Amino acid sequence: MMNSRLNIILILLLISASPVFSANVNVPSLELYTRGSMDSGVFGFESRGEMDLLLEGGYKFGVRVVLDFNTLFPLETYSISNMSILSFKSASATLREIFGLPLNFTYFIGESDIFCSGDVFPDLFGTLPLASNYRGYLHFPDSAFIYDGIHLINGTGIQVDVTTKPEKMLLSFYLYQDSMIDSDGNPTTLDPGHYSADVRTGFNFEKIKIEAFLGATYPAPDSDIGYYRGGFLFFAKEEGVEFLAQIGITRWSPMDDTFDINLFYLLFEPRVKFGILSIIPTFFWRPGYYHQQSTEEQAFDVNLNFQFGDIYKNQVSGGLESNITYQLEEGGVSRNEFRFKLSPYVQFATSGLVWEIRINTKLWPFNIEDMLEGFIALKTEF
């Protein structure tokens, strides 16, 4: 309760100060999901949501504060007296073109950039979205992790951006105290004593997009020589054909981890368009570590999406997805089972929002009681 009161006070103070600092308040990211399914013979709904509330002082002021509305549990279980779901996410202040050089300096606290998700190209370069749709809660509703990109910057530190050719290239350096789990695997916030450094670069060519990063964390809770990571995103397009690849090692402790496929985040997605029909197969190997934590799962996903229409051109699209997951391990328990489902869906765009209605039909393992589940999703997109 105290946390929610502090958040409300912070919002009111920043809004009341807006005439002085020309502050803006907006919602850059909003995702709402309602899932309908059977539970113990009773059909019911569970809703989840995530929203970023951004308060910023504009380009010249260079200050941003993000409050996060993120539900770890269904919204139906929350009450008016339990408002801790509104929490601090990040704050940053930027000095632009310091000393007249093509350098921007940013001091940040909390969550910062996501590497190799593909979102940096529309966000920074103004391109059309190119990221895979095979991400987020809709595709991983039962997983402990919502996969989206290879690495997340989270901590307290500084960022230096080189802005020589901002329309074609990005080059960023990060140095920060890492927020990560402790040696016992317990979640901590801004855990002291663990330091990270990362470098990221990106190139925005007309038909090819590339993003890459390298990073390290030292000292690590359970490794004397630290953790290491790296990865890249590659996107290419030609008339009627596109290809996306995301390849990376999310966390590697050389003294403790066997160097094998379990360290890798692997996603390959060729896309072929025949008029209004797009055929999009996605091949995804889930990593053994994600966001500096053990996922305790091993799985390989093959998702085949037959999509009709283009949400960015026609404002309406729909199609059918078939998904096969080979689940080797889940929750630290060996599974070695196949899971197969079909998902018809329809999408339509209205005033910066994308609506999606989806029905999942679980064909294997077959269980008539939980065979069907439906989703209604709403998210910002434009």
Side-chain angles (χ1 to χ4, degrees):
M1 189 67 176
M2 179 63 70
N3 186 40
S4 65
R5 289 176 178 173
L6 291 174
N7 288 333
I8 293 172
I9 292 172
L10 177 61
I11 294 172
L12 292 176
L13 285 174
L14 287 169
I15 293 175
S16 64
S18 61
V20 178
F21 298 113
S22 299
N24 300 313
V25 181
N26 58 60
V27 179
S29 175
L30 170 66
E31 297 183 10
L32 295 175
Y33 303 94
T34 295
R35 181 185 188 184
S37 60
M38 297 291 293
D39 185 8
S40 301
V42 178
F43 185 84
F45 295 98
E46 291 184 353
S47 300
R48 299 172 186 265
E50 182 173 1
M51 179 187 72
D52 288 346
L53 181 64
L54 171 63
L55 303 99
E56 59 181 349
Y59 183 85
K60 183 177 181 180
F61 189 39
V63 173
R64 296 164 54 94
V65 176
V66 180
L67 300 180
D68 181 47
F69 165 84
N70 194 343
T71 59
L72 299 177
F73 303 97
L75 280 169
E76 287 80 3
T77 66
Y78 287 93
S79 64
I80 297 299
S81 61
N82 183 5
M83 295 301 293
S84 60
I85 52 178
L86 181 64
S87 60
F88 170 83
K89 183 176 183 179
S90 66
S92 64
T94 301
L95 297 175
R96 305 186 189 279
E97 298 181 354
I98 55 176
F99 307 118
L101 299 174
L103 299 174
N104 291 344
F105 176 90
T106 300
Y107 162 65
F108 66 87
I109 303 171
E111 293 187 12
S112 182
D113 294 326
I114 298 176
F115 293 166
C116 297
S117 70
D119 289 335
V120 69
F121 294 99
D123 292 345
L124 184 63
F125 299 122
T127 69
L128 287 174
L130 57 86
S132 172
N133 286 326
Y134 193 69
R135 59 176 181 168
Y137 179 71
L138 276 182
H139 291 96
F140 303 99
D142 298 316
S143 176
F145 290 85
I146 306 300
Y147 297 101
D148 185 7
I150 297 179
H151 180 64
L152 169 69
I153 297 290
N154 189 8
T156 300
I158 60 172
Q159 172 183 345
V160 177
D161 299 306
V162 179
T163 61
T164 304
K165 294 183 178 180
E167 74 283 357
K168 293 293 183 182
M169 185 191 77
L170 70 88
L171 179 61
S172 301
F173 300 89
Y174 303 79
L175 183 63
Y176 55 102
Q177 178 179 266
D178 207 321
S179 174
M180 59 192 308
I181 61 172
D182 61 22
S183 58
D184 296 324
N186 299 314
T188 58
T189 301
L190 302 178
D191 189 26
H194 308 297
Y195 297 93
S196 290
D198 292 87
V199 57
R200 174 173 71 159
T201 187
F203 300 93
N204 177 42
F205 303 117
E206 181 179 358
K207 296 184 178 181
I208 293 178
K209 321 289 182 185
I210 299 172
E211 180 186 357
F213 76 95
L214 287 172
T217 299
Y218 182 86
D222 55 0
S223 175
D224 293 334
I225 62 173
Y227 299 148
Y228 300 88
R229 58 188 167 269
F232 69 92
L233 177 148
F234 175 83
F235 174 82
K237 68 175 182 178
E238 193 52 77
E239 187 67 29
V241 178
E242 297 178 352
F243 177 76
L244 174 71
Q246 295 167 258
I247 302 173
I249 296 176
T250 55
R251 199 194 87 175
W252 178 39
S253 175
M255 298 294 292
D256 303 300
D257 294 328
T258 303
F259 192 83
D260 58 22
I261 194 173
N262 294 326
L263 298 176
F264 282 82
Y265 183 112
L266 299 172
L267 186 146
F268 301 97
E269 188 175 274
R271 308 165 186 171
V272 182
K273 297 183 179 181
F274 302 97
I276 64 170
L277 172 64
S278 297
I279 301 176
I280 309 171
T282 305
F283 307 92
F284 179 48
W285 174 261
R286 306 185 194 185
Y289 297 102
Y290 196 59
H291 293 173
Q292 302 279 42
Q293 302 177 43
S294 173
T295 62
E296 296 188 341
E297 75 169 356
Q298 295 177 357
F300 179 62
D301 302 346
V302 179
N303 192 77
L304 182 58
N305 182 11
F306 294 92
Q307 177 179 299
F308 295 89
D310 189 333
I311 194 68
Y312 303 109
K313 296 180 180 179
N314 308 318
Q315 296 186 311
V316 177
S317 70
L320 176 68
E321 288 188 0
S322 62
N323 181 269
I324 299 176
T325 297
Y326 179 44
Q327 196 82 39
L328 291 88
E329 180 182 341
E330 186 176 33
V333 178
S334 178
R335 295 292 185 188
N336 290 318
E337 67 178 24
F338 284 95
R339 300 172 183 177
F340 177 55
K341 65 183 177 183
L342 291 175
S343 305
Y345 67 92
V346 61
Q347 299 174 322
F348 54 94
T350 59
S351 301
L353 298 175
V354 173
W355 297 73
E356 180 167 341
I357 300 173
R358 172 182 293 260
I359 297 176
N360 289 342
T361 305
K362 302 177 183 178
L363 299 178
W364 190 265
F366 183 78
N367 185 348
I368 191 66
E369 293 185 355
D370 66 352
M371 182 177 179
L372 295 176
E373 64 179 5
F375 286 88
I376 298 176
L378 172 68
K379 63 180 180 179
T380 55
E381 189 69 29
F382 304 107

